[in-house]
Amino acid sequence: MESNIYAFIWRYSKRQQIIITLITLASFPFLYYSLDLPKIIVNDALRGKSGFPVTYLGMQMDQTTYLVALCLMFLIMLFINAFFLQTVNTYKNQMSERMTRRLRFMLYQRILRFPLPHFQRVSQGELSTMLAGEVELVREFIADAIALPIFQGGTLLVILSFMFIQDPILGAASIALIPLQAYIIPKLQRRINLLNKERVNRARALSGRVGESVSGIRDIRANNTAVFTQADFSRHLEGLYKVRYELFRLKYFMKALNVFMLKLTPFLFYLVGGLLIINGRLTVGSLVAALAAYNNLTTPWKELLKYYQRRGDADIKYEQLVSSFELSTLLAEKKLEYEASAPERLNGELVFENVTAIDDDGAKTLDKVTFEVKPGGRLAVVSGAVGRDKLAQCITHMLTPTEGRILVGGKPLSAYSDKTVGTRMGYAGADSYIFDGTVGYNTEFSLQHNVPVDRNSGNYDLTEALMSGNSPYDIQENWRDLAILNCADEDAFAAWWFEVIKAVELEDSMFQRALGSFPDLSRHPHLSENIFKARDAVLKQLAADPELSALVNQFDFQSYNPNVSVGSNLLFGEPRDGRFALNRLGDNKFVRGVLKEAGLDDRFRDIGLEVAREVVDLFGDAEADQGLLERFAFVDPMALARLRMVVNKVRDHGVAKLGDADIAELISLTAQLIPQRHRFGQIDEGFQKRVVEVR
């Protein structure tokens, strides 16, 4: 990576920067004319010095028409300048987003190339913060790195040129304080840059501390060191606070100084310009135009000052990013490249010859390991976790031995490509990670080698990806390399996958998981039809066997099912939205309204109150036994405490004193009752009939 942010920007956005510069230069003549028009309007159209009629735009005009024409031209100039501003800002920010996308991708590639020992020295939280948060701060500068000084600096020069043309003395007054600002501000900015550098380092350390606390929460609790770790975290917060306070103090002092100097210049205008008008060396229109131009001057000047401040921040952040990701020990870049060749077969024995591995601290994790495993053989490694894992990592190209050789079929393992080792070697260790995704995504992860070079799903903007230096491959395509498994098609792969699930004894777990899931029918359009067919088959078997039929309560819209909860019977379904969760059903205004309209709200409340009394009596005032709690899944320790409060309130003050939250708690309790499981005797046939009617 380029060590300087400007080198990075110029290398990857040179063409876009040139286009932005040309658009910017094209806008300056229109800007100058928009500055000159107010003077013409005041001196010529309003004061009538030109002598009327006058010729303008090839037409003769009286004073009124001339004034209207000049004002319309001024309006047109405003539109044109706004168009240039919008075009430049849109184009430069599009370029900035592409550059940010490129930078994040480059940093992510370097994470993939980090040697394994480096991950022990850097925290996940620190890397995530740098890749997401700190790159975002650099993005703000990338958009303005070249475009802003050209646009705002050019605008400043156009305005200053206009003011000097009106009167050299007036022009000199407008820039009188700029040298003072140019001397003071860089000195303050250098101090601010150093503080920013320290702030970034402290913020990273703070992020690392949070990551350590999350990863080591078991050790913190096991050793009762929560108070100690809070003190340590407070120390980091204090350091960050002091740096940020000093940083803000200097930044706002510099801002106040800038505002004071900008407000001081109009004082010079009124004084010098007034004297020039009195002496007849300057017209009122020229002074008005100069004042208007100065108002326009403050904006580019302030933007240039902000740019100077942001440049210092961006330089530091970019340099720190490069130093954190550009390691001398990075793995070869070719490890991230697509290999078109088919993976070789690994035939023959696996041989270790005096293999030694040394970690970064100089300790030997493997010491002259020698063995041979014949094809079809098995090897048990009796060792500590470190030696065992290092040996496996040597076999899978994750770790390079310091000494010795590893041979497969008489050929050095290092001579095989990463694609061959990655597809022919399987690795599942204690450190293997479960990625964010489906079970299928994780179990098929090792098969994702079939790079879709010539295909595109249509949802991936390949042109934009290439302009941003991103991957040219569409993740939405099918990446599974079924040839590795000798599977001819998807049906063969599905059969193989189910055999694997059986082999690792996940069949029952997967079946239960499927029964409780909500499938995406857009991805599986025939699933609902097949489920209906399966349902019909089950119903036929139940109808043919009375003993089986007695074991199942079928769902019928016209009857109550005693094996599911009151709430599920009321809704005739399972909630897919948290607002209809059974333990919060009493908080749902729609449900409460329906119950009230049907005259069942008080009945739900009273049943809940009776059950609450029995539950409180059952568990007593002591802490509830966990085994007993499991029989009543709707009563966790927190819910039990709330029910005690409701029961005590009714005992002391009566039902009339219950608040809406208390009533909602009781209604939710009733909604969770299952007659066949919770035999409190409250859900009688009459109540069941009323629930079906309300359904």
Side-chain angles (χ1 to χ4, degrees), residues 25 44 111 152 158 181 191 196 217 239-240 278 297 363 374 394 404 418 437 455 524 561 573 589 676:
L25 294 176
D44 296 348
I111 292 176
Q152 300 295 355
V158 170
Q181 289 174 287
R191 173 61 181 158
N196 264 321
I217 188 65
L240 184 61
I278 292 172
L297 179 72
K374 296 291 184 181
C394 286
D418 289 325
R455 299 190 300 275
H524 308 282
N561 191 327
K589 293 182 179 180
Q676 292 287 5

Side-chain angles (χ1 to χ4, degrees), residues 452-462 472-474 477:
V453 178
D454 299 322
R455 299 190 300 275
N456 190 293
S457 65
N459 297 322
Y460 189 56
D461 192 335
L462 181 59
Y473 310 125
D474 186 359
E477 288 291 338

Side-chain angles (χ1 to χ4, degrees), residues 646-679:
V646 173
V647 170
N648 291 336
K649 184 182 291 187
V650 173
R651 182 192 61 203
D652 296 338
H653 305 289
V655 176
K657 294 297 183 180
L658 289 178
D660 189 69
D662 300 325
I663 296 174
E665 184 80 31
L666 296 175
I667 291 176
S668 298
L669 177 61
T670 302
Q672 297 174 79
L673 297 177
I674 301 174
Q676 292 287 5
R677 185 183 302 174
H678 311 128
R679 301 181 181 275

Side-chain angles (χ1 to χ4, degrees), residues 91-140:
Y91 195 76
K92 74 177 184 181
N93 277 282
Q94 182 191 42
M95 176 270 300
S96 172
E97 289 299 328
R98 286 173 179 162
M99 293 290 289
T100 306
R101 182 175 170 180
R102 178 186 295 274
L103 179 58
R104 284 198 172 110
F105 188 74
M106 292 171 70
L107 297 181
Y108 180 71
Q109 285 183 314
R110 276 154 180 77
I111 292 176
L112 297 179
R113 292 168 56 196
F114 281 171
L116 287 182
H118 184 70
F119 289 101
Q120 299 173 359
R121 297 190 294 271
V122 61
S123 70
Q124 173 187 341
E126 188 177 347
L127 289 174
S128 300
T129 299
M130 286 189 282
L131 192 61
E134 293 184 23
V135 171
E136 185 65 23
L137 298 175
V138 174
R139 180 200 68 80
E140 297 174 4

Side-chain angles (χ1 to χ4, degrees), residues 236-282:
H236 281 78
L237 289 174
E238 179 192 32
L240 184 61
Y241 163 77
K242 288 181 177 179
V243 170
R244 291 180 71 92
Y245 174 75
E246 181 66 14
L247 179 64
F248 293 147
R249 191 180 68 81
L250 283 177
K251 286 179 69 174
Y252 288 117
F253 171 74
M254 188 167 67
K255 184 176 181 179
L257 184 64
N258 282 332
V259 171
F260 172 74
M261 290 185 175
L262 288 172
K263 298 295 184 184
L264 194 60
T265 304
F267 160 77
L268 298 176
F269 268 41
Y270 290 124
L271 178 61
V272 176
L275 292 174
L276 292 174
I277 291 174
I278 292 172
N279 293 324
R281 294 186 52 188
L282 188 71

Side-chain angles (χ1 to χ4, degrees), residues 31 35 148 152-153 155-160 163 173-175 177-178 181 185 255 258-267 269 289-307:
L31 173 63
L35 295 174
L148 188 141
Q152 300 295 355
T155 301
L156 187 70
L157 290 176
V158 170
I159 295 173
L160 288 175
M163 296 175 76
S174 67
I175 63 170
L177 297 176
I178 289 180
Q181 289 174 287
I185 289 174
K255 184 176 181 179
N258 282 332
V259 171
F260 172 74
M261 290 185 175
L262 288 172
K263 298 295 184 184
L264 194 60
T265 304
F267 160 77
F269 268 41
L291 284 169
Y294 179 75
N295 286 332
N296 292 328
L297 179 72
T298 58
T299 298
W301 178 242
K302 285 192 287 188
E303 289 297 323
L304 287 172
L305 292 176
K306 289 180 183 177
Y307 167 80

Side-chain angles (χ1 to χ4, degrees), residues 594-603 690 694:
V594 171
L595 292 178
K596 186 173 182 179
E597 184 179 348
L600 273 181
D601 52 341
D602 289 345
R603 182 75 172 118
R690 293 286 290 122
V694 175

